[in-house]
Amino acid sequence: MHKDCEYILVDEQKIKSLVKELAQKISEDYKDKNLLLVGLLKGSVVFMSDLMKEISVDCKIDFICASSYGTGTVSTGRVNIVKDLSQPIDGVDVLIIEDIIDSGNTLTFMKKYLSAKGAASVKICTLLSKPSRREVDIPIDYLGIEIPDEFVIGYGLDYAEKYRNLPYVGVLKRSVYS
């Protein structure tokens, strides 16, 4: 365990199990569809990489980067597209891949944004969800696991761009960010 991690919340084995379960459901649901996995940068990269290796149907991938924080640490409430998709999505079944859902504001925006670009469908897959932090009601089509309101790191999740490479999801010690 990393020295800045208080404890491991979701270990490597549990993550692998969740990824396989999600991939199986996605593969069943999209067997006759035109699937595009859209990763929300940067946090989704590790999860999306593992997930797509387990999906058994043909799919394409792309990435989008949105921010509601600007250069601060508190959300402005306004979502900005920092990097847009590199391909048209008219008639495509889009599955947004996210590492964690907190307030739901960014994903609510992204779902509307991608639908307006002509997607046949837009659904959401997330590894982690913090329902206690939700500000908007957003349906999660594929959910790995709900977690408590803790500051988590690892498996793509960061604090100040660090800890993304940890193979588990852990709780960051308060002393690191207080």
Side-chain angles (χ1 to χ4, degrees), residues 51-120:
L51 183 67
M52 68 186 203
K53 289 186 280 188
E54 296 292 334
I55 292 175
S56 63
V57 296
D58 289 337
C59 62
K60 295 179 181 176
I61 67 167
D62 206 339
F63 294 94
I64 195 164
C65 185
S67 175
S68 62
Y69 289 86
T71 58
T73 57
V74 177
S75 176
T76 63
R78 185 169 160 215
V79 179
N80 297 310
I81 301 295
V82 178
K83 181 230 174 286
D84 208 339
L85 298 174
S86 62
Q87 58 192 293
I89 59 170
D90 294 321
V92 172
D93 295 293
V94 172
L95 183 57
I96 300 171
I97 309 299
E98 179 65 300
D99 54 353
I100 189 168
I101 300 176
D102 282 321
S103 70
N105 291 320
T106 299
L107 278 173
T108 297
F109 173 87
M110 292 305 305
K111 198 165 182 179
K112 289 177 187 171
Y113 179 78
L114 295 172
S115 293
K117 286 175 125 351

Side-chain angles (χ1 to χ4, degrees), residues 2-100:
H2 192 280
K3 65 179 176 59
D4 292 339
C5 183
E6 187 75 36
Y7 62 92
I8 295 174
L9 188 62
V10 187
D11 66 28
E12 288 180 76
Q13 277 310 117
K14 181 65 175 178
I15 291 171
K16 286 179 184 177
S17 173
L18 292 169
V19 168
K20 283 185 185 225
E21 288 173 25
L22 290 168
Q24 184 178 4
K25 290 176 192 169
I26 292 165
S27 296
E28 290 169 9
D29 293 349
Y30 287 89
K31 64 182 171 198
D32 297 319
K33 307 256 182 174
N34 186 9
L35 177 59
L36 175 67
L37 304 177
V38 173
L40 274 176
L41 293 174
K42 297 177 187 172
S44 71
V45 171
V46 178
F47 173 48
M48 185 166 151
S49 174
D50 287 348
L51 183 67
M52 68 186 203
K53 289 186 280 188
E54 296 292 334
I55 292 175
S56 63
V57 296
D58 289 337
C59 62
K60 295 179 181 176
I61 67 167
D62 206 339
F63 294 94
I64 195 164
C65 185
S67 175
S68 62
Y69 289 86
T71 58
T73 57
V74 177
S75 176
T76 63
R78 185 169 160 215
V79 179
N80 297 310
I81 301 295
V82 178
K83 181 230 174 286
D84 208 339
L85 298 174
S86 62
Q87 58 192 293
I89 59 170
D90 294 321
V92 172
D93 295 293
V94 172
L95 183 57
I96 300 171
I97 309 299
E98 179 65 300
D99 54 353
I100 189 168

